[in-house]
Amino acid sequence: MKISGAKILLECLKKEKVKHIFGYPGGVVLNIFDELYDEKSLELILTRHEQGAIHSADGYARASGKVGVAIVTSGPGATNTVTGIATASMDSIPMVIFSGQVPTMLIGNDAFQEADIVGITRPCTKHNYLVKDVKDLAQTIKEAFHIASTGRPGPVLIDLPRDVSAGMAEFEYPKEVNIRSYNPTYHGNKWMTKKVTQMIAEAERPVIMAGGGVILSEAAKELTQFAKLINAPVTTTLMGLGGFPGSDDLALGMLGMHGTYFANKAVQNADLLIGIGVRFDDRVTGRTADFAPKAKIIQIDIDPTSIRKNVRVDLPVVGDIKHVLKDVIKSIKEQKLKFAKSSPWLTQVNEWKTEHPLSYKKDSDIIQPEFVVEKIYELTKGDAIICTEVGQNQMWSAQFYKYDKPRQWLSSGGLGTMGYGFPAAIGAQFACPDKLVIDIAGDGSIQMNIQELATAVLNKLPVKVAILNNGFLGMVRQWQELFFKERYSHTDLDGGPDFVKVAEAYGAVGLRATKPSEVEAVLKESFKIKDRPVFMDFACDWRAKVFPMVPAGAAIDEMILAEHVSEPKKHKNRK
Amino acid sequence: MRHTISVLVENRFGVLSRVSGLFSGRGYNIESISVGETIDSAISLMTIVTSGDDQIIEQITKQLNKLIDVIKVVDLVDVEHVEREMVLIKAAPKKGDKTEFLKLAEIFRARVIDSGASTFTVEITGDEKKIAAFIELIKPFGIKEFARTGKVGMAREGLKNT
Ligand SMILES: Cc1ncc(C[n+]2csc(CCOP(=O)(O)OP(=O)(O)O)c2C)c(N)n1
């Protein structure tokens, strides 16, 4: 029996065990939406902007490990997805995005609401397709899910002309995919694994540097086992937070531009750096010529292009982290290598920890933003899913909340997309209905997808948004204060909306704290609300800055610490 | 250093733009690119001439391999190989120079494939050195038009998948 392309699409999604789709309708996808009208086992969540839909699908994927799915219309609907797709691409998040397209006959004619979305998204997808014949649809969808979720994951876009989703074909879902040109390497080379073991045995000052790959490969358990076995301190990149328990004694926290003093010191003094699922982004390495200058570098990654892209690597291992770590652990055990519980190196690392721990100004008059994050950590006992926006809010959330588990930290690392956190939190809440999901936001970023309040209210999602309201585009202001003579060009958000009223206008709850003593009560109050979103407006010190800070172009141990910086001048309309 | 990279790709809609987009998006340079079907019409062979230091070339080959539609990448610098390019040149030698022009063409085994009232069009095929030498020598005769195919190349053992 022949069924329509639209119906085939939904059948394929069911075969892929999809439950939630984030989307927004329009002319050329009307027949798909019409099929969804009677569909019981697939829920389409109508967001209020296509960017929101993509970030929600992304948040859903990061929180659950499943492939996120979104459907949008052609032209403006499709172009509105680009920031979201690029965000997912930079962070290797598995997603399949369906965009409507004008009928095949009209493609290339500048038809109404036509955009060459396959061309536009080519550099920011792992792969993309234009389906020209309904007979190819099922095969294409099968391939898309396979490509999105295997190897180094990433977003895949499928462009569906209206006549394809309206066309009729027999439906048969392929059992397996076989793409001759796509064969990710999962198992590391045996010789390389041996060599890793040998280099570890020879090292005196090893440091493990873990990234997002650990989370994508579901290898947190193996990483922890590995680190404990060789007794090496572990620093994580922004994307790797939660890949190793942040509260563990061996944890050094994040490294790089806003990394901890001790993580950066450890990397710069290590004699062996084991990079696991990292790509040595410039925010992490600082001046590459002086990155980990004393160390031999091992890099384990599934994507060969990540290796030797930015820094020299002495031993590359291409493979899936989970597999490679298992092999390495086995090899260490077989060789009966022993690692002392204490060593001069660990003592040194601990000294750095006590010398300059993460700290901030204690203040009983004005709310310090770090204090809010610390309180959130304390009150949630480290068990919440934390989403962030971008800027200072993101860095403080990375520093002052300790992530013990993978998939509880959702943040736009590679692209640094303001407006990511709130829709991502909505997606995460759909994936994990019983979890406490909190978006830690800045007053700038939250306004970039604030319309999603409607989505959250309508779906009765108890997502919390903690706005660290400093009245500024804080991170940019920080750079202006430190490097542009306090000339705050166009970063003052004074006169921004009353977030409590905005929340209320949408039917959400709005709460506010203006003194440190009110912070805990506001948070506790918000946690009690289970049937709608809450905006918490924390009136924070506008002068607060993120430290340590490695200035652009410096080596990562050339850090500016809080005590090196004097207070900024008074601001014309701030206390 | 110059590299000639041979890339087997699925003969699909958009594959050329995926490859060229990779080069432009990442700031790699393309000196020439030529594309054609192989014996198997489902597969095309691209020959790309590019340049860069070792690290860049390593990235180029890895990034090419990462494209889903790319089946196989061979940097011909690493293997014994043959390379050829074809050039069409329309030249307008002055009256007294014609014989000398034709002689030169003959020495280089360039074929005259068309001639008009005042021009000759010649075709020359060969490796880089031969073509460069020929062009240098006939420049003084006055080149009117010039078209080159870009290089094609092949490992001497033969690429397995074709
Ligand atoms: C979409 C987008 N536009 C611009 C930027 C550049 N940018 C980075 S941080 C920042 C300021 C963010 O301000 P806010 O959301 O208030 O957070 P804060 O730094 O104050 O915590 C800006 C503008 C960005 N990252 N993303």
Side-chain angles (χ1 to χ4, degrees), chain A residues 323-555:
Chain A
H323 288 299
V324 174
L325 283 182
K326 275 188 176 159
D327 289 347
V328 172
I329 291 168
K330 199 168 138 219
S331 150
I332 291 173
K333 285 185 174 162
E334 273 168 9
Q335 296 188 34
K336 301 203 167 56
L337 295 178
K338 286 280 174 292
F339 299 88
K341 266 276 157 266
S342 61
S343 67
W345 173 236
L346 286 175
T347 313
Q348 169 68 74
V349 168
N350 285 330
E351 263 167 37
W352 285 323
K353 278 189 183 177
T354 40
E355 217 172 281
H356 291 290
L358 282 173
S359 65
Y360 63 93
K361 186 172 140 203
K362 305 285 168 207
D363 194 326
S364 53
D365 297 330
I366 310 177
I367 302 176
Q368 296 302 319
E370 302 92 327
F371 172 71
V372 178
V373 178
E374 215 171 56
K375 269 281 163 226
I376 295 175
Y377 177 61
E378 193 185 300
L379 295 175
T380 60
K381 302 190 178 63
D383 194 37
I385 293 180
I386 302 292
C387 305
T388 76
E389 302 294 338
V390 168
Q392 294 178 314
N393 59 83
Q394 180 183 33
M395 293 303 131
W396 287 319
S397 305
Q399 294 177 331
F400 290 92
Y401 197 106
K402 294 197 176 75
Y403 304 88
D404 279 349
K405 287 186 226 110
R407 306 200 178 280
Q408 68 167 133
W409 161 255
L410 279 51
S411 190
S412 166
L415 201 65
T417 308
M418 291 171 68
Y420 168 79
F422 184 37
I426 290 174
Q429 191 76 80
F430 270 105
C432 309
D434 302 326
K435 280 263 173 189
L436 177 56
V437 181
I438 305 172
D439 174 37
I440 300 181
D443 47 319
S445 300
I446 192 59
Q447 296 184 62
M448 283 211 181
N449 270 315
I450 204 162
Q451 77 286 345
E452 296 308 321
L453 257 171
T455 314
V457 168
L458 200 79
N459 290 285
K460 299 192 169 51
L461 301 180
V463 168
K464 322 293 178 219
V465 181
I467 304 170
L468 307 178
N469 191 343
N470 51 18
F472 275 97
L473 295 170
M475 185 56 96
V476 184
R477 189 206 67 76
Q478 170 165 344
W479 284 61
Q480 290 172 330
E481 181 190 324
L482 297 177
F483 311 116
F484 289 86
K485 306 198 180 87
E486 298 182 47
R487 289 157 53 84
Y488 302 133
S489 177
H490 306 284
T491 44
D492 191 341
L493 297 181
D494 204 21
D498 178 333
F499 288 110
V500 172
K501 283 192 183 149
V502 171
E504 285 166 359
Y506 273 96
V509 176
L511 302 170
R512 175 170 290 127
T514 54
K515 292 199 289 284
S517 57
E518 296 164 357
V519 169
E520 184 164 329
V522 162
L523 285 168
K524 281 185 168 160
E525 173 72 22
S526 84
F527 297 159
K528 282 189 214 142
I529 297 159
K530 306 282 187 209
D531 61 347
R532 69 190 88 174
V534 185
F535 265 27
M536 291 169 271
D537 185 13
F538 295 102
C540 291
D541 189 352
W542 67 273
R543 287 163 298 204
K545 286 177 285 295
V546 183
F547 290 116
M549 175 173 196
V550 178

Side-chain angles (χ1 to χ4, degrees), chain A residues 9-181:
Chain A
L9 165 58
L10 302 195
E11 290 306 315
C12 292
L13 294 181
K14 285 193 256 177
K15 294 276 186 200
E16 291 293 337
K17 304 201 170 55
V18 173
K19 289 270 171 324
H20 297 97
I21 308 165
F22 299 87
Y24 209 93
V28 297
V29 288
L30 267 170
N31 47 355
I32 302 173
F33 276 72
D34 189 61
E35 282 294 343
L36 278 162
Y37 196 64
D38 295 321
E39 181 55 62
K40 294 283 178 298
S41 57
L42 290 167
E43 184 182 352
L44 185 124
I45 296 115
L46 175 70
T47 56
R48 291 301 182 273
H49 191 302
E50 287 88 353
Q51 186 187 352
I54 304 299
H55 289 326
S56 288
D58 170 318
Y60 187 92
R62 291 191 207 218
S64 66
K66 295 186 196 140
V67 178
V69 180
I71 302 181
V72 299
T73 192
S74 65
T79 53
N80 266 348
T81 65
V82 173
T83 303
I85 296 176
T87 302
S89 176
M90 287 290 265
D91 291 346
S92 310
I93 304 306
M95 292 209 299
V96 175
I97 302 102
F98 297 90
S99 53
Q101 184 53 280
V102 301
T104 38
M105 276 174 58
L106 288 181
I107 290 178
N109 283 357
D110 297 328
F112 177 62
Q113 294 195 328
E114 177 182 358
D116 174 14
I117 199 63
V118 169
I120 291 170
T121 60
R122 195 186 307 115
C124 63
T125 48
K126 183 167 172 187
H127 194 55
N128 60 17
Y129 294 91
L130 169 66
V131 183
K132 287 179 158 171
D133 187 333
V134 63
K135 289 206 252 357
D136 301 332
L137 184 55
Q139 176 70 32
T140 306
I141 295 175
K142 180 81 188 175
E143 284 185 17
F145 274 85
H146 176 68
I147 291 171
S149 59
T150 54
R152 177 176 176 175
V156 178
L157 177 133
I158 299 180
D159 204 20
L160 280 178
R162 197 187 63 203
D163 52 323
V164 171
S165 57
M168 306 290 282
E170 295 288 343
F171 172 64
E172 193 188 342
Y173 202 53
K175 291 223 165 38
E176 50 186 272
V177 250
N178 191 354
I179 306 171
R180 61 177 159 188
S181 53

